[in-house]
Amino acid sequence: MPALACCVDAAVAPPGYAFAGDSSLPAPPFSGVPPATTAVTTDSSHWSPSLSSDLYRIDAWGGPYFTVNSSGNVSVRPHGSATLPHQEIDLLKIVKKVSDPKPDCGLGLQLPLIVRLPDVLKNRLESLQGAFDLAIQSHDYGSHYQGVFPVKCNQDRFVVEDIVRFGSPFRFGLEAGSKPELLLAMSCLCKGNPEALLICNGFKDFEYISLALFARKLALNTVIVLEQEEELDVVIDLSKKLGVRPVIGARAKLKTKHSGHFGSTSGEKGKFGLTTTQILRVVKKLDQLGLLDCFQLLHFHIGSQIPSTALLADGVSEAAQIYCELVRLGAHMKFIDIGGGLGIDYDGSKSSDSEISVSYSLEEYAAAVVRAVRNVCDRKSVKHPVICSESGRALVSHHSVMIFEAISSSACDDVPPMSAFALQYFIEGLTEEARADYRNLSAAAIRGEYEACLTYADQLKQRCIDQFKEGSLGIEQLATVDGLCDMVSKAIGASDPVRTYHVNLSVFTSIPDFWGIGQTFPIVPIHRLDQRPAVRGILSDLTCDSDGKIDKFIGGESSLPLHELEGNGGASGGGQKYYLGMFLGGAYQEALGGVHNLFGGPSVVRVSQSDGPHSFAVTLAVPGPSCSDVLRVMQHEPELMFETLKHRAEEYGQGDDGGMASAAVATSLARSFHNMPYLVAASSCCLTAMNNHGLYYCSEDDYVVVADSAGGGGGEEDQWSYCCA
């Protein structure tokens, strides 16, 4: 007898049970029998952290900066491959330190959380510089490498300042593409190496060019890169008025084109740059004005995430030919700026066929660039130029980790079991056609015809839906057919095993590239990796938007291996919290993120490696934007909103407990304005009121809070700045 038939008894109904109107109807198929699907075992006796590392490909995309420690937690190796075992930083310990209440020696910050790791940033910069130094030495190149960081990748003050500070020994500079970026670059480079380049890209107006020329007056090594031919006239006119001799570069539109999304700005039809005809006109005009010696830099960009060194070498060789021709025409060329494009391996596949991977190492990238420039220049007998690159993504992606909580989970097929009474009530309301479907379903179950079972179950469900829409079937009966069809699917293994994990996050705010361009990032539980993940799930965020979910993961997976939530999560169920980390997201995500549903940005902490007992020190902590902060972004006035609600509370609270109730409402409202928009555990005390100007600084030794957020007593006149005790 087929396996499904054991679930069916066509002759005997359950005791005390009768089928209304038709005794020939069999007992319900699959009644009282567990699903036939094989459950994923949660036995961890044969599981290990190394198996989790393989499962999530952590060593592939995370090396040499991320690993799984013996406790089953993700650890940071802040100095890359040179990190000693005692220097590794446990991410779970960071989360505990940051999120624990202040009375428990924590910082009392709310998740989601960005963890910045300046040691990783320093290592990335040194690794990039080292790769080019090695290539220059190996290929007997006659000049040096001098990088710049494009601040559009991450404009955070501390990130930019760190790059200038870490890069000072290497003459590392900055690239700006707008007036605000130029202002911050000028300010930061005042503390940098005087030879560091300040590359001025992007569309320019009178004010932008004035700022760039002022930067030269301030002895900053500024190069104005022409994106449009008409910018040259403004540069010439203003330089005469300001008495500044400019250094000029030009962005060339190469014939070489990088395919895919990240190559959309490359090729002859790219958004930026000058054609060869336009470059020749620039040379002629500068020559006529006696300014040809000001033309010193050639810039190009064939797109981000260049997949292979073959494409890279092709573009660099073409640009080097243009460079040599400019030298021949009399320009005093010194720099060739290869732009961005140095990719990172988001999925660990090391593939040139993927937009989220690359097939080369830092060393191979640098060698391809140096070799291509040297070969062209040697053939033309041209002095080797200084090589400059704008490798933003490769510099900052690894140094930032986004950590967030899974607060609950639900399965798509989570339907209550069907009772005998419910089945009897259900059958009584069926049409004859629906009863025929029910008979066919039972017969197919006895014969073991699984596909037929699904077909008849679907037909039965649709007929019941039609009856419900007509008003001849009650909602209880409709729920019963859902339970019946669910039981069928489970028994034959056709139910969707993928769960939805609800995460305390906004995709639109914190991972906008996933929503906007389908960019995938490594997402991994940061703890419990010594346990076998028992289920697969997708991630659904807090926003009221169907796009607010993550259902595409590295490796082309449509779901992620996850662990069962203990007590169904932290924020709603009161159980053990389950933390996930999004890695390699340090470039672009923060500046691109919006305030969809008025969810603001995350809290941010800066964590450095320390010789203390926990191997780390939180040297900066910034609470995420409050509800008031994000309301102001949309031109609302939170103080006035609070006063309106406070007066309303007083109006409707007169005569109750001498006004105590209305005062409590006002206090609660004030707290809500000051807290972050994200969910807070029900068992927790409401967070201390703070805005995104609240900065916590602490030494590496004792984490002493030096500057606290705005706060106050909580009296009637000070409710707006209320802090919970």
Side-chain angles (χ1 to χ4, degrees), residues 410-416 482 486-487 489-490 494-499:
S410 61
C412 297
D413 54 359
D414 187 15
V415 180
D482 284 340
D486 174 62
M487 191 180 296
S489 295
K490 283 183 176 180
S495 60
D496 186 1
V498 176
R499 296 189 188 179

Side-chain angles (χ1 to χ4, degrees), residues 94 97-99 102 106-110 113-116 158 602-607 617-624 690-699 703-709:
I94 294 176
K97 178 66 188 178
V98 169
S99 61
K102 292 180 188 178
L107 295 179
L109 297 189
Q110 187 180 345
L113 174 72
I114 286 180
V115 178
R116 293 201 201 284
F158 297 99
S603 301
V604 180
V605 293
R606 176 181 162 91
V607 177
V618 179
T619 57
L620 174 74
V622 184
M690 47 192 164
N691 54 44
N692 75 337
H693 301 297
L695 302 179
Y696 296 93
Y697 293 91
C698 42
S699 70
Y703 305 99
V704 173
V705 175
V706 177
D708 207 342
S709 59

Side-chain angles (χ1 to χ4, degrees), residues 391-721:
S391 303
R393 185 188 300 269
L395 278 179
V396 300
S397 292
H398 297 76
H399 96 285
S400 176
V401 181
M402 166 75 69
I403 298 175
F404 52 96
E405 303 166 71
I407 54 178
S408 64
S409 68
S410 61
C412 297
D413 54 359
D414 187 15
V415 180
M418 176 178 49
S419 67
F421 176 79
L423 180 63
Q424 179 180 1
Y425 182 65
F426 163 66
I427 293 173
E428 287 175 351
L430 293 180
T431 62
E432 183 54 41
E433 293 86 353
R435 291 189 182 202
D437 289 329
Y438 184 83
R439 293 191 195 94
N440 291 333
L441 171 60
S442 299
I446 293 173
R447 295 192 300 269
E449 298 173 355
Y450 295 178
E451 292 298 324
C453 285
L454 285 178
T455 299
Y456 292 128
D458 287 343
Q459 289 179 0
L460 175 61
K461 186 172 184 177
Q462 188 55 53
R463 292 189 199 279
C464 291
I465 291 172
D466 292 340
Q467 281 187 259
F468 179 76
K469 290 179 179 179
E470 294 169 358
S472 58
L473 197 71
I475 191 171
E476 298 90 346
Q477 293 165 303
L478 188 65
T480 300
V481 76
D482 284 340
L484 177 63
C485 293
D486 174 62
M487 191 180 296
V488 171
S489 295
K490 283 183 176 180
I492 66 176
S495 60
D496 186 1
V498 176
R499 296 189 188 179
T500 297
Y501 276 58
H502 304 108
V503 293
N504 204 2
L505 185 76
S506 165
V507 169
F508 304 91
T509 298
S510 296
I511 323 177
D513 270 349
F514 176 84
W515 170 71
I517 62 174
Q519 169 79 45
T520 53
F521 297 90
I523 296 177
V524 176
I526 67 165
H527 60 137
R528 296 178 62 184
L529 297 178
D530 54 345
Q531 305 171 26
R532 183 194 302 270
V535 296
R536 299 192 70 93
I538 63 171
L539 309 179
S540 177
D541 75 359
L542 298 181
T543 65
C544 300
D545 196 305
S546 58
D547 285 344
K549 64 181 178 181
I550 304 173
D551 55 3
K552 186 172 73 170
F553 304 90
I554 63 170
E557 298 290 336
S558 59
S559 61
L560 184 70
L562 295 168
H563 304 85
E564 292 275 9
L565 297 185
E566 299 176 357
N568 203 28
S572 59
Q576 294 296 316
K577 295 187 176 183
Y578 189 51
Y579 297 109
L580 300 163
M582 184 201 80
F583 296 80
L584 309 187
Y588 298 107
Q589 302 315 295
E590 294 170 64
L592 288 175
V595 289
H596 183 43
N597 263 175
L598 296 188
F599 284 109
S603 301
V604 180
V605 293
R606 176 181 162 91
V607 177
S608 295
Q609 189 267 319
S610 167
D611 293 331
H614 299 296
S615 300
F616 70 90
V618 179
T619 57
L620 174 74
V622 184
S626 66
C627 292
S628 293
D629 295 326
V630 292
L631 285 166
R632 287 191 186 94
V633 171
M634 304 306 293
Q635 309 304 313
H636 296 282
E637 299 183 52
E639 291 83 359
L640 295 181
M641 296 167 67
F642 170 71
E643 288 300 321
T644 298
L645 294 171
K646 178 184 173 185
H647 291 155
R648 184 79 165 190
E650 292 170 350
E651 178 183 356
Y652 283 86
Q654 291 177 354
D656 55 358
D657 302 324
M660 293 295 293
S662 60
V665 169
T667 297
S668 180
L669 287 168
R671 183 186 295 124
S672 295
F673 274 104
H674 283 297
N675 285 342
M676 286 177 68
Y678 294 94
L679 302 185
V680 184
S683 60
S684 300
C685 175
C686 291
L687 294 178
T688 299
M690 47 192 164
N691 54 44
N692 75 337
H693 301 297
L695 302 179
Y696 296 93
Y697 293 91
C698 42
S699 70
E700 294 187 357
D701 299 321
D702 54 15
Y703 305 99
V704 173
V705 175
V706 177
D708 207 342
S709 59
E716 187 173 352
E717 299 302 321
D718 196 27
Q719 287 165 328
W720 179 245
S721 59

